[in-house]
Structure formats: structure tokens, C-alpha cells
Amino acid sequence: MVCGALASLWPTMKTASGNTSIMDMFEEGKVVKICAPMVRYSKLAFRSLVRKYSCDVCFTPMIIAADFLRSVKARDSEFTTNKSDRPLIVQFAAQDPQTLADAARVVAPFSDGVDLNCGCPQRWAMSAGYGACLINKPELVEDMVRHVRNQVDNPDYTVSIKIRIHKDLRQTVDLCQKAESAGVSWITVHGRTTEERHQPVHYDAIKTIKDSVSVPVIANGDIKCLRDVESTHQHTGVNGVMAARGLLANPAMFAGYEDTPLQCIWDWVDIAVEQGTPFSCFHHHLIYMLERVSSQPERKVFNSLSSTSAVIDYLQNTYGSIHDPDTQICPF
């Protein structure tokens, strides 16, 4: 069962085996830099942008597996990709093993792995049996991982989980070890409990989990600049880091830029226009990118703009074009 949008890609898309393996990246010893799954934001256009600025792996937004399988409309709207959108991990919310495995088989020809969301703390997700409630169901997580591993034919296709931690870290270690025994490829750890939002990340907990399993571990939480990538790696020994809000504010963060460079702004304009990104998404991304580098009066004017042409005119008049000889390469 492949929806029309996916079927049309079939002749031109490479399979996962034709791309650089994510597991090979871990083997190389580099700190793998990953764009997190972000509802509404980590869609194809934004993934295309961060890949230009040293992001190694990208996640789709979380997709509810049951809806994805049931609805052609959901498949067409929730999963869009192209030939250059690799390596790509498709994150699903699921509550039973076969549904996750079926969804994985649909997207496997167009991606490099699937990830089971075990970290979303929102009430609607947890009440539906999705997200962070799964960290308290280690046997179910183990079964879901095993189903994907057994039913996707490609041995290089990865199955990972993204979790939050328990107050009693022994429970988290047990969860991770059960997932490892089921064949999980790697584990992303958001270093906060389900109840925590903006409290400091528990890096010691991430280190404990890293030391307790043999599969690669990714650290998530408060990665806001390239220095955070290195310090987190040094503190925890993780194999990679995942950023969300840091990349929204500065999509060039992984390339070492302290703030969003002008080139990145215009790259986003080009990508968004080319891919037909809806205005609200196009505008919201720019609001995030410009927040740290513009004044409050400038932000007030920019946030009130209501068309793509008005945004482009504003950027041109306020910051200039990257090709303008009178404009610095990175005026911000």
C-alpha cells in the first residue's frame, strides 16, 4: 500500500542501501549532527535548508502511524521527500507493533530508518497511548522494535527510539537494554523527565544510559550552538546530538555560525519558493531565524507581513541581497 505521492517517487528514489548508511556515520567516530522531529517545522523544505549547513541526518515530524496507514490524505500531507533528502528518519507515533511495522514498510523505500516516538509529553499523545507513556511499557517497546526489525527486508534500514528519562534512572536503563535486545539500531535520549520542560538537561543521566548499552546513543536537549555539541559529547560520550529549537533559531548552527547568516536567510527564501511552502510556514521559520538578530521594532514590522512578496521586499530593503556588493557576507 503506497499512496499516490509516494508511488510517483518510486522510479527515481534511491533505496536506503544506495546511500551512506547512518550506522556507518556512527562507526566513523564523528559526532553525528541531527535535526529533531518537529511538528509543523521539520518538513522537507526546512530539512533541505539544514542539510546545506552540516546537518548529517534529518527527522520528519512525528506522524501517527495508524492515520498514515488509513488515509491517503494523511500520507500525502504528512510525508513528502525527494532524492536529495537523505539520510532521512521517519518518526512514527504508534501503540501497537504491527501498525508500526506496516507503516515502516510503506516508507522504507524512501527513507533510511524509522523512529518510535517514546518522548512526546503532551497530554493528548499520552492519553492516546503514544509518546512518553511508552517509556513505562518496556515490553511493548521491545515488541515494536522487533516487529520492524523482522518485517522490513533491508538489513541496513534502522529502527530507533526517542525517549525521555524516568526519575528512577534504573527504569530507563532497563527500557534501553530491552530495546537493544530486540535489535534497536540507536537510541535518542532527551535528558528530561516527562514532567520537565525547561529545566536543565540531566547530562549525567544520558551518560549513564550511554554506558549501559552498546548501541549508539544520541543526546537531545538544549543544543543551541556548535560549542554545545562538543561539550555534550565530551560530558556524555554520546555518538551524536540532536537539536530542535537551536536549529529553528539558527539553521546554520551545525556549520559553526553563532547567528543565522544572511546567506542562510536567502537560501530559505529560495528553497521555500521553489518547493511551494505555505506562507504561514515560510514566515514562521523566518520569525525564528530573525529573532536574535533584529530589534523589537523590526520584529513587530516583520511579524505583521502577510505575503511572500512583502517578506522578500522587507528582507531586501532591510538586509540587502547576498549578491549585493554593498552588503557584507554576514551582516547579522
Side-chain angles (χ1 to χ4, degrees), residues 99-141:
T99 299
L100 179 62
D102 288 344
R105 289 192 301 157
V106 171
V107 300
F110 316 103
S111 57
D112 299 272
V114 291
D115 184 84
L116 174 62
N117 185 313
C118 304
C120 179
Q122 295 185 31
R123 289 180 183 176
W124 73 265
M126 295 179 65
S127 65
Y130 303 133
C133 73
L134 292 175
I135 66 173
N136 297 315
K137 302 176 182 179
E139 290 79 12
L140 177 57
V141 171

Side-chain angles (χ1 to χ4, degrees), residues 257-286:
Y257 291 92
E258 291 292 320
D259 294 306
T260 309
L262 184 59
Q263 177 68 63
C264 184
I265 297 287
W266 286 113
D267 284 342
W268 171 244
V269 171
D270 291 343
I271 290 168
V273 169
E274 179 184 352
Q275 295 190 12
T277 301
F279 175 75
S280 60
C281 179
F282 167 68
H283 190 214
H284 276 126
H285 273 293
L286 286 169

Side-chain angles (χ1 to χ4, degrees), residues 2 11 20-21 150 158 186 222 227 253 258 278 280 299 308:
V2 180
T20 301
S21 165
N150 290 341
T158 67
W186 44 290
D222 286 358
R227 290 189 305 277
M253 176 186 76
E258 291 292 320
S280 60
R299 289 197 297 273
T308 299

Side-chain angles (χ1 to χ4, degrees), residues 94-97 100 116-119 123-146 161-166 170-182 194:
Q95 57 186 202
D96 74 275
L100 179 62
L116 174 62
N117 185 313
C118 304
R123 289 180 183 176
W124 73 265
M126 295 179 65
S127 65
Y130 303 133
C133 73
L134 292 175
I135 66 173
N136 297 315
K137 302 176 182 179
E139 290 79 12
L140 177 57
V141 171
E142 182 180 11
D143 202 17
M144 287 200 271
V145 169
R146 187 173 286 115
I161 59 175
K162 185 174 185 293
I163 67 171
R164 284 189 173 234
I165 60 173
H166 298 83
R170 291 173 296 182
Q171 293 178 264
T172 317
V173 169
D174 176 65
L175 167 69
C176 293
Q177 290 176 342
K178 280 185 167 62
E180 181 177 19
S181 71
T194 302

Side-chain angles (χ1 to χ4, degrees), residues 31-65:
V31 182
V32 179
K33 298 184 284 295
I34 301 174
C35 175
M38 292 177 279
V39 174
R40 296 185 301 276
Y41 292 119
S42 61
K43 295 197 171 187
L44 175 60
F46 188 69
R47 298 195 302 264
S48 301
L49 179 65
V50 296
R51 290 185 193 281
K52 294 173 69 74
Y53 291 92
S54 302
C55 184
D56 298 313
V57 179
C58 290
F59 273 56
T60 68
M62 181 184 77
I63 300 169
I64 298 175

